[in-house]
Amino acid sequence: MAVLCKNCAGKLIFNPASQKLECNTCGSSYRPQDVEDIYASSDTKFYDTRVYTCSHCGAEVITSDTESSTFCVYCGNPAIVFSRVSREYRPDGIIPFKITKQQAIENIRTKFLKNPIIPREIKNKLTAENLRGIYVPYWLINADFTEADWIKGKVKKGKSSETRYYSRAGEISFKNVPIDGSRILNDDTSRKLEPFYLEDSTEFDEDYLNGFYSNTTDLSYYDLRRSAADRCHSLYAEAVVKSFDWGVKDVKVVDSVYHIDIHDDPLYMMMPVWFFTFKHDGKPYTVLVNGQTGKVVGTLPWLNKRIWAVAITVFLVILAFIGFFFGGIAFGFRKHINTFYMHGIAGLLATSMLCFTTGTVGLKRIFKNLRLTQSEAIFRFVKKRQE
Amino acid sequence: MTNSESALLVILVYSGMMLFTAVSYAVFVTYLILRKYSDFGDSSCKIDEYSQRGIGYYRAVDDAPAMEKRFLFTEYGANPYENNIHSIPEVLLKNSGDSKPPV
C-alpha cells in the first residue's frame, strides 16, 4: 500500500505531469523508485490493496491508497468503512499515467467544443468528478501464429466482374501484443485504446497507483489464449486482405483455421486509462482516454432532432435536384434528352447505391460502437473504483 | 397496356428511383456527420506494430479450384504447436477455477 510523506506524514499522490509522488500537504515530491514502502509485503509476488465497503448501500470500493475517509460513488454517502486487505498478484510492469486529469478533460473537450450534435447537458457533465483514472490489466504476449485462409474476391472481366477464390497459408511471429486482461472491458473497446508505447513502461511499483484506481486480471490461461488468438487472427486476416492488389475487389476471408503458440511468461502489465462516465436519458455512457497518449475512444449520444433535420434536409434537396432529371423523363421531354443527360442519371443511381451501402454499413458500425459505450458493465466497473 | 397505364408505370418507376437516390444520399451524409462528431477513436493497430518480419506464406494460390479448399485445410489446418508445453503464470492458473474449458 501507499506510503506517507517523510516530512509531514501527508498522503502521497502520483502526479502524471512530474512523474513523481507529491505530498498534498507540504508539497514535497519523490521519485516512486526512491520511496521505501514500509507497508510492502515481504513476499514480492504479491501486493496489498484495500477494500472499502459503503455501510449505506453496500458497494465495494477498491483502492491501493492509504486514504480511508472517502465517499461512496454509488450513493455519495461518506459512511464508507475499511473492509479488508486483499492480496493481489504483483504485475510485471506498469506504464504510469502521463496524461493528467486536466489534459484528459481538455482532450475530450476538444471533441465536444463546436460539436453541433452532442446535447449541451453532456458537455456540462464533463467535470473532474466524472473522470476516473484506472490502471487496467493487460497481458503482453509474444507468440507464433499460423493461419490458413480461403478467400473470395471479384475480378473485372470486360464490363462485368467475376468471383474468384484464393488460398493462403502462412505463419508470423508476434511480439508484445497487448491483450486486455479484464473480462469486464470489452475487447473491441480496449483495442481502440491502442497503441500503448512500451518505452514508458517500468517495473511495477504500487506507489504509481496512488491517486488512481486499479483492477486486477480475471482471465484464465485459456481465456488469454482465446483472446490472443482472436486478436492475432484479426491482425493477420486484415493484412492478408490488404495484400491483394487493386485488380481484386471486395476481398473477404470466407473461411479460416488458425493456431497460436504463446511463448513462455507473458508479461502482466498495468496500462493507464481515464474513464469519463455519465448517464443520459437513463442510459450509462463511458468514454475512455488513453492515459499515455491521450487518444479519446467512445461514441457519444447525439441530438436526434438535429440529425433528423439534417437527414430530411439532405433528402429534400437531393429529391428536388434529381426531380429535375427524372421529371424531365417522366413528363415527356424525352426527345430533348441526350446521351450526356442519361449518363448523368446512370451515374447518380450508381453513386446512390454506393452511398447507401457505405452509409448503412457505417451507421451499423456507429450504432455498435454506441452500444459498447453504453455498456452497463463498464459503467459499474468504473463506479466501483474511487479515489 | 394503355398510354395512361404506361405513363403511370414510368412515373412509379422514376419516383421509386428518385426516393431511393434521395434516401441513399441522406443516409450517407448522416453517417458522415455521426462519424465526424460522435464516433471517436475508431481505429486499432496494424500488424506491423507487432511484427517486424511480416507474414511468411507457405502457400498462395490465385484463382484456386474448389478442391484447393479441402487440400488447404487438410494440409495446413492442423495445430503445429499442439505438443508445445509452456510455463503459465500463477495468476492465470489461479483464475482458471471459474473459466470454461478450452474449445
Side-chain angles (χ1 to χ4, degrees):
Chain A
M1 279 170 280
V3 293
L4 302 177
C5 176
K6 287 174 190 169
N7 295 334
C8 68
K11 182 184 169 191
L12 292 179
I13 299 286
F14 180 73
N15 182 351
S18 63
Q19 294 288 299
K20 285 181 177 173
L21 289 160
E22 291 180 356
C23 176
N24 285 342
T25 313
C26 71
S28 305
S29 63
Y30 310 88
R31 292 194 311 163
Q33 56 270 41
D34 295 341
V35 175
E36 193 182 339
D37 192 341
I38 54 170
Y39 298 104
S41 167
S42 55
D43 185 347
T44 53
K45 274 201 314 194
F46 300 96
Y47 73 106
D48 295 335
T49 58
R50 285 172 167 251
V51 180
Y52 293 86
T53 308
C54 175
S55 54
H56 186 251
C57 70
E60 273 195 344
V61 175
I62 303 166
T63 170
S64 57
D65 224 327
T66 50
E67 184 61 72
S68 57
S69 57
T70 180
F71 67 92
C72 177
V73 280
Y74 277 122
C75 61
N77 201 297
I80 187 159
V81 292
F82 174 69
S83 168
R84 66 180 189 276
V85 170
S86 172
R87 303 195 84 196
E88 301 293 347
Y89 277 89
R90 177 180 287 270
D92 298 301
I94 187 168
I95 295 181
F97 272 89
K98 280 185 89 175
I99 301 291
T100 62
K101 185 178 261 193
Q102 202 49 43
Q103 286 171 324
I105 289 175
E106 283 306 313
N107 283 11
I108 302 174
R109 191 165 281 152
T110 52
K111 304 281 183 187
F112 283 12
L113 281 178
K114 295 178 185 171
N115 191 323
I117 64 165
I118 294 177
R120 183 171 289 277
E121 56 172 288
I122 295 177
K123 295 179 185 178
N124 295 337
K125 282 176 183 166
L126 183 55
T127 58
E129 293 77 45
N130 287 331
L131 207 72
R132 288 175 180 79
I134 300 180
Y135 280 104
V136 176
Y138 271 75
W139 287 93
L140 277 186
I141 59 141
N142 296 334
D144 291 325
F145 185 80
T146 173
E147 177 162 331
D149 293 312
W150 184 245
I151 300 154
K152 188 167 89 171
K154 283 183 180 167
V155 177
K156 204 163 185 189
K157 206 172 183 187
K159 284 190 174 178
S160 61
S161 60
E162 193 178 272
T163 300
R164 288 197 181 158
Y165 289 89
Y166 304 83
S167 74
R168 296 284 185 274
E171 54 82 32
I172 188 167
S173 288
F174 283 108
K175 195 168 169 57
N176 292 330
V177 181
I179 306 294
D180 164 24
S182 172
R183 287 182 199 171
I184 200 86
L185 195 60
N186 187 290
D187 284 352
D188 285 340
T189 306
S190 60
R191 279 175 199 176
K192 289 182 192 173
L193 281 167
E194 293 172 27
F196 286 102
Y197 296 107
L198 299 178
E199 293 80 15
D200 293 331
S201 65
T202 178
E203 196 179 331
F204 179 78
D205 186 330
E206 51 264 55
D207 293 331
Y208 285 111
L209 307 182
N210 285 1
F212 299 95
Y213 311 105
S214 61
N215 195 32
T216 51
T217 183
D218 54 1
L219 295 191
S220 70
Y221 185 66
Y222 299 117
D223 294 330
L224 176 68
R225 210 172 66 178
R226 193 164 39 234
S227 292
D230 286 347
R231 178 76 176 112
C232 292
H233 165 61
S234 65
L235 287 166
Y236 184 101
E238 188 187 311
V240 167
V241 166
K242 284 195 174 160
S243 70
F244 284 82
D245 62 31
W246 288 101
V248 191
K249 304 279 184 198
D250 298 336
V251 182
K252 277 181 192 161
V253 174
V254 181
D255 208 351
S256 56
V257 175
Y258 52 89
H259 300 286
I260 191 166
D261 186 40
I262 299 175
H263 295 181
D264 279 346
D265 301 327
L267 285 178
Y268 179 21
M269 298 286 292
M270 289 288 189
M271 307 296 199
V273 182
W274 288 104
F275 287 66
F276 167 45
T277 50
F278 59 91
K279 281 208 170 190
H280 176 66
D281 283 346
K283 288 179 185 160
Y285 291 86
T286 307
V287 173
L288 310 178
V289 181
N290 182 320
Q292 185 190 27
T293 62
K295 181 185 183 185
V296 179
V297 169
T299 305
L300 293 168
W302 49 81
L303 286 165
N304 275 329
K305 279 183 192 169
R306 287 210 181 155
I307 290 298
W308 276 111
V310 170
I312 289 168
T313 308
V314 173
F315 174 80
L316 291 175
V317 168
I318 296 290
L319 200 65
F321 179 70
I322 57 178
F324 167 74
F325 287 100
F326 288 136
I329 299 166
F331 292 104
F333 305 123
R334 265 168 280 188
K335 57 188 170 187
H336 302 296
I337 295 166
N338 57 26
T339 316
F340 177 75
Y341 195 85
M342 292 305 288
H343 280 175
I345 291 169
L348 207 59
L349 276 172
T351 51
S352 69
M353 279 158 95
L354 191 68
C355 284
F356 187 76
T357 314
T358 314
T360 46
V361 169
L363 284 177
K364 210 172 151 185
R365 202 179 65 238
I366 287 173
F367 279 104
K368 185 189 161 199
N369 290 345
L370 185 68
R371 280 195 297 278
L372 290 175
T373 306
Q374 283 175 341
S375 166
E376 182 75 45
I378 295 178
F379 189 78
R380 271 189 272 122
F381 165 81
V382 179
K383 287 294 182 189
K384 264 191 177 178
R385 284 147 184 84
Q386 173 173 341
E387 281 168 303
Chain B
M1 193 179 278
T2 63
N3 276 350
S4 61
E5 282 172 340
S6 81
L8 187 67
L9 188 68
V10 168
I11 288 171
L12 280 175
V13 168
Y14 285 132
S15 301
M17 291 199 307
M18 280 167 64
L19 284 173
F20 175 71
T21 309
V23 166
S24 300
Y25 276 91
V27 165
F28 184 63
V29 170
T30 307
Y31 156 63
L32 289 181
I33 288 171
L34 289 181
R35 193 180 68 168
K36 179 168 171 58
Y37 290 112
S38 174
D39 199 28
F40 304 125
D42 194 15
S43 65
S44 54
C45 291
K46 305 281 179 283
I47 201 165
D48 311 339
E49 301 262 357
Y50 304 119
S51 178
Q52 291 170 339
R53 228 167 20 93
I55 300 172
Y57 288 106
Y58 310 127
R59 187 170 183 84
V61 178
D62 291 349
D63 199 7
M67 60 190 290
E68 164 69 13
K69 184 180 179 182
R70 192 180 177 140
F71 173 80
L72 177 78
F73 290 135
T74 311
E75 192 72 9
Y76 301 103
N79 186 357
Y81 316 119
E82 202 168 14
N83 299 320
N84 292 7
I85 297 168
H86 294 292
S87 67
I88 299 172
E90 275 183 48
V91 61
L92 291 172
L93 289 173
K94 186 204 83 175
N95 290 338
S96 62
D98 54 348
S99 76
K100 291 170 191 163
V103 181

